[in-house]
Amino acid sequence: MDKLGIVFALTGAVLAALMSGVGSAKGVGMGGEAAAGVITEDPSKFGKVLILQLLPGTQGIYGLLIAFITLSQIGVLGGDSNMSLAKGLLYLAACLPMAIVGYGSAIAQARASVASISVVAKKPEQFGKAMIFPAMVETYAILALLISILAITGIGGINI
Amino acid sequence: MAVLKMQRICICALKKDRKHILELLQRCGVIELNDVLQEDGVFRKTDVFAAVNGFEKNIALGKSALEILEVYSKEEKSKLSVLNGREEVPAQEYDEFQIRHDEMVHASKHVYDLEKKIAEGKAEILKQKTQIEVLSPWVTLDIPLLFKGTKETAAFIGVLPGEWTLERIYGQLADLDPVNVDIISTSVEQTCIFVLCTKEKESSVSDELRAAGFSYPSIAGSKSPAEMIRDLENHMAVTEKSIQEAMDEIRKYAARREEFKFFTDYETMRLEKYGVLSGLLQSNSVFVLTGYIPQEEAEGLAEKLNERFTLHIEFEDPDEEEDVPVKLKNNGFSAPLIGTVESFSLPGKNEVDPTMVMSLFYYVLFGLMLSDAGYGLIMTAGCGWALIRYKDRLEDSMRNALKMFLFCGISTVFWGVMFGSYFGDLVDIVSETFFGQKVTIPALWFLPINEPMRMLVFSMALGCIHLLTGLGMKLYQCYKQKDFKGMLYDVIFWDLLLISCILMLLSMEVFVNTVNLSFILPSSVSRVAGVVALISAAGITATNGRESKNPFKRFLKGLYALYGITGYLSDVISYSRLLALGLATGVICSVINKMAAMTAGIPLGAVVFTVIVVAGHALNIAINALGAYVHATRLQYVEFFGKFYEGGGRKFNPFGVHTKYYKFKETMKNG
């Protein structure tokens, strides 16, 4: 049983990258579909809709970030990978905010992005405002990222 | 940093100078026209519908000519042509173009007609090709398809569906001798036949053939099929030649591409001028023009006009209630962000221009989020190079964008040095993998990845400063509007409440331990801060609902306003994105570097290493610069502007030159 700690810790790291990545992939895909529609009408809007399409992509990066920090903390990338079961479970729990909020917020943000892309299609001069709506959703991904980072870096110091 | 003061301008001049005055005003581009005066018995507006219609048609013609030229002879553009702005054209050249104007209309039409000819020719060729295809099974028949027989005989030339053998056809016509059948050609779909019979049997043969599904060919002619094909082929060659000629002729026009561009611009300018003309009040010999002009341009324009024409100009300050257009002016450091303010909203009545203060925070926040010295250096160098190399050619919008990223880049370098990030940990990795000895450039301040809590506290502290600055802007604005009650109730109370809350937090042991601060405020400070907080909270409750008369309602509204403190809490937490985005850049950097380092052992390791590093960092810089840009803008729009700025001003939209290819500009003092 003692060997299971690292298993759970790695599961956490993988989940963070996996779920956020899937969410972002779906989100950027949704944005891409809407953006492609705009381009058929007016190719000159490419730059603007591309930015809006990319906005839900950040969750995937945050997921990667958490996964990477976890991997380097638990010693998978070299170092000592021995840890107690409790510690492994702690790492798993610490990764969950990013995994779950990352997935959900990427898709919610993509919906806002799609709506903003249609704003740009009709009123390109309102790009500045349109960009803010998806960015509002991202706040929650950032909060989850924050908690995950603080938790993961904190776990190292706990002695169990 | 200012909203430019506008003045109303009224020009009264002779009609004979009308064209030249309007053209001068258009090139100056400093007046926004508004026709407030009414028509009366003497002054009337002119109908310019026909002329405007003509210009629109010519613009469309010019554009389609340019598009056609692009199809047949592509314009060569370098990758950096976007940096090369429009060419400036002196007024003289514009005037001289008038002589060539009609010729250009003609030329545009000609290009358009040539294109039409090519399209028609291509359609013709297609038609002829189909005809040849239909004729090709008949090519061995040496009499015309229309041949119906001689005096004594009747002939049937046509097709039977499906594949028929000679015996089968003879079998079909067995009782009707004498009859002669020839199969011209046969395929799976159809069999082409020639049947000859005596005249008296004509109708019965016809019936039998019809029963077998016989039909006449869809094409007919008085010449033999082979001859017809030859004719068609000759015709095709002629058409093809004329297409080729038309194409060559179009290509000849390609050398005159610039003239077509000039023509389009010329007509665009005239269109705008006539739009203005339609709003002018004119009598038999004079016209009157009214509008807004920034005060600083007024004198220069008056001088210029008086020098050249006989006219009367009046300037006056606009009334309080008037909807005056807004134009912002800032120094070179802040000017690049005018566009960002504009895309939120221009300052409304009595509001201050936030650009200057915002730009300072904008650059700092952007730099913090990207926070890598290497990336910052690339941005700074790239933008700096473009700014110097294309100094005189850059369009204003492009120059502003470049300047913005130049300043953002400088700030990024600064924070990168503070946090010890040079392409992430590239220096460590390279020195360790290739030189066997690890060299680290130490952070000037601290490494956020090692001390995330410290970075978080710093981010939020910066957020507090940003928010308090926003409140400070509100204080200034209230002062300018002489709303002294507002200064105390809406700003000072809030300031006191926020600052005392922060002081209380800093004197709490739990908080100080959590965030690892090295100092703690004595409890006496906490006690004073607590009292101040209570007083200001009471003040907010008592005053922030002051627009309601009902005291109970007023109290409830005040309480609700006090609840707004949660808004400040979420605003401050929102600045944690500085930490998150900063870490994102750094961690992805180290992922890339680590991946690259893994290749060091394989043959050609250094090459693969370089490829991974270059491609990876290029991708990272793009993604994270985008993130920094979006979130820096968000922090300004939502957190900062939310404290004091409403906007709602109307943009100053001067009568000017809005062309695509050339610049026609009269240099103004500030233009």
Side-chain angles (χ1 to χ4, degrees):
Chain A
M1 279 301 275
D2 261 6
K3 294 265 158 43
L4 276 181
I6 186 71
V7 175
F8 282 110
L10 189 69
T11 311
V14 167
L15 273 182
L18 191 104
M19 290 183 64
S20 307
V22 171
S24 274
K26 278 191 181 180
V28 175
M30 283 160 75
E33 285 170 28
V38 174
I39 296 305
T40 51
E41 288 294 318
D42 183 0
S44 70
K45 296 198 179 99
F46 177 71
K48 287 178 176 163
V49 291
L50 182 71
I51 290 181
L52 291 172
Q53 187 205 349
L54 280 180
L55 287 179
T58 36
Q59 279 84 348
I61 297 174
Y62 299 155
L64 175 78
L65 198 156
I66 290 299
F68 186 78
I69 294 182
T70 312
L71 290 182
S72 60
Q73 287 263 333
I74 62 180
V76 169
L77 296 180
D80 179 22
S81 61
N82 255 335
M83 71 174 70
S84 64
L85 180 60
K87 213 164 193 178
L89 285 169
L90 281 178
Y91 276 117
L92 174 60
C95 288
L96 286 183
M98 193 62 247
I100 295 167
V101 179
Y103 178 80
S105 70
I107 288 170
Q109 191 172 357
R111 285 177 203 279
S113 264
V114 168
S116 289
I117 286 172
S118 56
V119 169
V120 169
K122 286 178 190 141
K123 295 201 163 131
E125 71 279 2
Q126 298 299 338
F127 173 68
K129 286 170 200 162
M131 195 178 69
I132 293 303
F133 298 128
M136 297 301 263
V137 183
E138 184 151 335
T139 306
Y140 303 98
I142 290 174
L143 296 182
L145 170 69
L146 186 68
I147 292 305
S148 284
I149 289 182
L150 293 180
I152 290 166
T153 48
I155 290 170
I158 300 174
N159 208 0
I160 45 173
Chain B
M1 142 191 179
V3 178
L4 284 185
K5 192 167 157 27
M6 288 287 166
Q7 280 196 313
R8 281 171 54 68
I9 181 172
C10 179
I11 299 175
C12 184
L14 295 175
K15 219 166 165 178
K16 69 178 168 63
D17 294 331
R18 191 182 68 190
K19 177 172 149 54
H20 287 111
I21 292 178
L22 283 181
E23 277 171 9
L24 180 69
L25 290 179
Q26 184 171 29
R27 274 199 288 268
C28 290
V30 290
I31 296 186
E32 177 180 301
L33 288 137
N34 71 334
D35 28 335
V36 281
L37 302 173
Q38 295 298 315
E39 284 183 281
D40 57 26
V42 183
F43 285 100
R44 302 223 139 268
K45 289 181 181 172
T46 20
D47 183 20
V48 294
F49 181 76
V52 164
N53 218 344
F55 296 142
E56 279 168 355
K57 228 189 239 162
N58 283 346
I59 292 170
L61 254 180
K63 275 187 187 156
S64 64
L66 279 170
E67 275 165 27
I68 293 165
L69 286 184
E70 192 62 26
V71 171
Y72 292 102
S73 137
K74 254 195 157 348
E75 191 178 11
E76 277 178 29
K77 278 185 188 164
S78 71
K79 289 259 156 46
L80 290 166
S81 65
V82 64
L83 293 171
N84 241 335
R86 295 168 300 171
E87 196 172 322
E88 194 152 344
V89 172
Q92 198 189 353
E93 203 166 312
Y94 173 87
D95 293 335
E96 278 164 7
F97 187 75
Q98 203 178 354
I99 320 160
R100 284 186 295 156
H101 174 261
D102 290 343
E103 202 271 323
M104 285 311 295
V105 177
H106 184 75
S108 308
K109 260 194 199 134
H110 191 206
V111 171
Y112 182 76
D113 288 343
L114 284 172
E115 159 77 4
K116 211 167 145 195
K117 197 170 151 194
I118 292 174
E120 281 168 1
K122 280 182 177 159
E124 182 78 24
I125 286 181
L126 207 66
K127 211 170 106 195
Q128 285 157 353
K129 270 193 184 147
T130 350
Q131 285 185 345
I132 291 178
E133 223 160 82
V134 173
L135 280 175
S136 60
W138 297 101
V139 76
T140 49
L141 186 70
D142 46 10
I143 47 172
L145 286 169
L146 266 181
F147 181 72
K148 288 281 179 243
T150 58
K151 214 166 164 192
E152 301 295 330
T153 57
F156 295 90
I157 300 173
V159 291
L160 290 172
E163 216 168 349
W164 289 70
T165 54
L166 213 50
E167 291 93 63
R168 204 169 142 216
I169 303 172
Y170 273 119
Q172 185 83 19
L173 306 170
D175 311 331
L176 299 167
D177 253 7
V179 66
N180 175 57
V181 180
D182 283 323
I183 291 183
I184 310 296
S185 69
T186 170
S187 69
V188 183
E189 289 97 39
Q190 59 172 24
T191 306
C192 299
I193 53 166
F194 170 75
V195 179
L196 197 69
C197 64
T198 52
K199 203 94 186 177
E200 61 260 30
K201 297 264 174 69
E202 183 179 0
S203 63
S204 9
V205 170
S206 166
D207 289 346
E208 278 305 322
L209 283 174
R210 261 176 219 294
F214 176 85
S215 60
Y216 289 105
S218 57
I219 195 167
S222 48
K223 287 183 182 170
S224 76
E227 267 176 88
M228 277 172 79
I229 287 178
R230 206 167 45 244
D231 282 358
L232 282 169
E233 272 167 355
N234 285 341
H235 197 152
M236 255 166 71
V238 172
T239 321
E240 226 151 81
K241 202 172 156 222
S242 75
I243 288 179
Q244 204 54 48
E245 276 167 8
M247 282 181 175
D248 288 344
E249 209 165 335
I250 289 182
R251 285 202 192 97
K252 262 185 228 150
Y253 275 107
R256 295 175 59 187
R257 194 191 306 267
E258 295 306 315
E259 284 178 57
F260 284 104
K261 289 181 179 172
F262 198 99
F263 171 63
T264 315
D265 277 358
Y266 185 80
E267 294 296 87
T268 311
M269 275 175 76
R270 285 173 83 195
L271 179 66
E272 188 165 352
K273 190 171 77 188
Y274 271 70
V276 166
L277 198 60
S278 71
L280 290 187
L281 282 180
Q282 317 194 33
S283 73
N284 286 336
S285 49
V286 294
F287 71 93
V288 182
L289 176 153
T290 54
Y292 293 105
I293 182 169
Q295 195 179 25
E296 56 177 33
E297 307 281 9
E299 212 174 300
L301 183 75
E303 226 168 74
K304 211 169 243 186
L305 284 172
N306 278 322
E307 196 176 285
R308 296 188 205 177
F309 309 104
T310 321
L311 41 67
H312 175 73
I313 308 184
E314 259 178 32
F315 294 105
E316 59 181 18
D317 289 330
D319 297 336
E320 265 304 299
E321 313 80 64
E322 245 173 90
D323 178 24
V324 181
V326 180
K327 188 181 181 193
L328 301 180
K329 187 181 179 192
N330 282 277
N331 57 26
F333 177 70
S334 308
L337 285 168
I338 289 181
T340 312
V341 174
E342 254 171 31
S343 81
F344 182 80
S345 184
L346 280 162
K349 223 166 245 327
N350 295 324
E351 278 193 319
V352 292
D353 173 11
T355 317
M356 170 70 197
V357 180
M358 184 195 118
S359 62
L360 193 66
F361 280 103
Y362 193 97
Y363 298 140
V364 169
L365 296 176
F366 185 100
L368 256 176
M369 285 190 265
L370 198 54
S371 69
D372 186 284
Y375 291 1
L377 212 59
I378 288 179
M379 275 172 70
T380 314
C383 295
W385 174 81
L387 278 169
I388 294 168
R389 171 79 175 69
Y390 292 94
K391 202 171 157 210
D392 305 319
R393 304 271 306 176
L394 282 173
E395 293 291 321
D396 285 347
S397 58
M398 182 54 88
R399 173 173 300 137
N400 277 337
L402 286 173
K403 265 191 191 166
M404 183 177 110
F405 284 111
L406 177 77
F407 290 126
C408 287
I410 293 172
S411 158
T412 308
V413 172
F414 172 76
W415 290 111
V417 172
M418 286 306 242
F419 298 135
S421 177
Y422 302 83
F423 294 104
D425 50 359
L426 189 63
V427 181
D428 305 31
I429 297 277
V430 170
S431 58
E432 198 176 6
T433 353
F434 293 106
F435 304 104
Q437 195 177 16
K438 192 167 168 178
V439 179
T440 309
I441 304 179
L444 213 55
W445 193 14
F446 67 94
L447 281 172
I449 185 84
N450 293 345
E451 298 174 74
M453 208 62 207
R454 192 165 169 197
M455 183 64 198
L456 180 64
V457 172
F458 171 67
S459 303
M460 290 188 179
L462 194 68
C464 287
I465 295 171
H466 197 201
L467 292 174
L468 287 175
T469 313
L471 279 175
M473 292 289 283
K474 173 136 189 166
L475 192 71
Y476 176 65
Q477 203 157 284
C478 286
Y479 171 75
K480 255 186 83 180
Q481 295 168 7
K482 304 200 167 51
D483 179 10
F484 299 112
K485 270 189 200 166
M487 277 170 78
L488 178 66
Y489 299 160
D490 293 341
V491 185
I492 296 179
F493 277 158
W494 277 108
D495 270 341
L496 286 175
L497 182 61
L498 292 176
I499 293 171
S500 54
C501 283
I502 294 170
L503 289 178
M504 271 156 69
L505 271 180
L506 287 180
S507 57
M508 270 159 42
E509 209 167 310
V510 185
F511 179 78
V512 171
N513 285 342
T514 322
V515 301
N516 281 329
L517 286 182
S518 53
F519 62 92
I520 183 165
L521 294 176
S523 59
S524 55
V525 175
S526 140
R527 247 171 283 142
V528 176
V531 174
V532 175
L534 274 179
I535 293 173
S536 46
I540 288 166
T541 319
T543 60
N544 272 22
R546 61 188 180 278
E547 61 276 10
S548 297
K549 287 235 161 66
N550 183 339
F552 185 63
K553 211 170 164 191
R554 189 189 294 191
F555 175 70
L556 282 185
K557 268 194 170 173
L559 266 187
Y560 181 70
L562 185 62
Y563 180 68
I565 188 94
T566 55
Y568 280 91
L569 189 66
S570 66
D571 283 350
V572 172
I573 290 175
S574 175
Y575 286 85
S576 64
R577 73 188 70 230
L578 299 178
L579 159 70
L581 288 163
L583 277 189
T585 317
V587 169
I588 295 173
C589 278
S590 43
V591 172
I592 294 165
N593 293 340
K594 209 159 236 167
M595 266 172 22
M598 287 174 193
T599 65
I602 63 172
L604 281 180
V607 177
V608 183
F609 182 90
T610 317
V611 169
I612 293 181
V613 163
V614 170
H617 285 293
L619 187 73
N620 193 23
I621 195 171
I623 289 177
N624 281 293
L626 171 66
Y629 165 68
V630 169
H631 287 282
T633 311
R634 180 220 136 106
L635 286 176
Q636 304 293 352
Y637 281 4
V638 180
E639 274 76 18
F640 188 57
F641 282 176
K643 296 290 159 286
F644 68 99
Y645 190 67
E646 269 173 28
R650 183 167 66 84
K651 190 179 175 184
F652 180 64
N653 184 17
F655 165 46
V657 182
H658 297 106
T659 51
K660 201 171 160 193
Y661 306 105
Y662 289 96
K663 265 189 251 187
F664 303 82
K665 221 172 174 183
E666 191 83 8
T667 38
M668 288 300 286
K669 194 177 75 192
N670 302 292

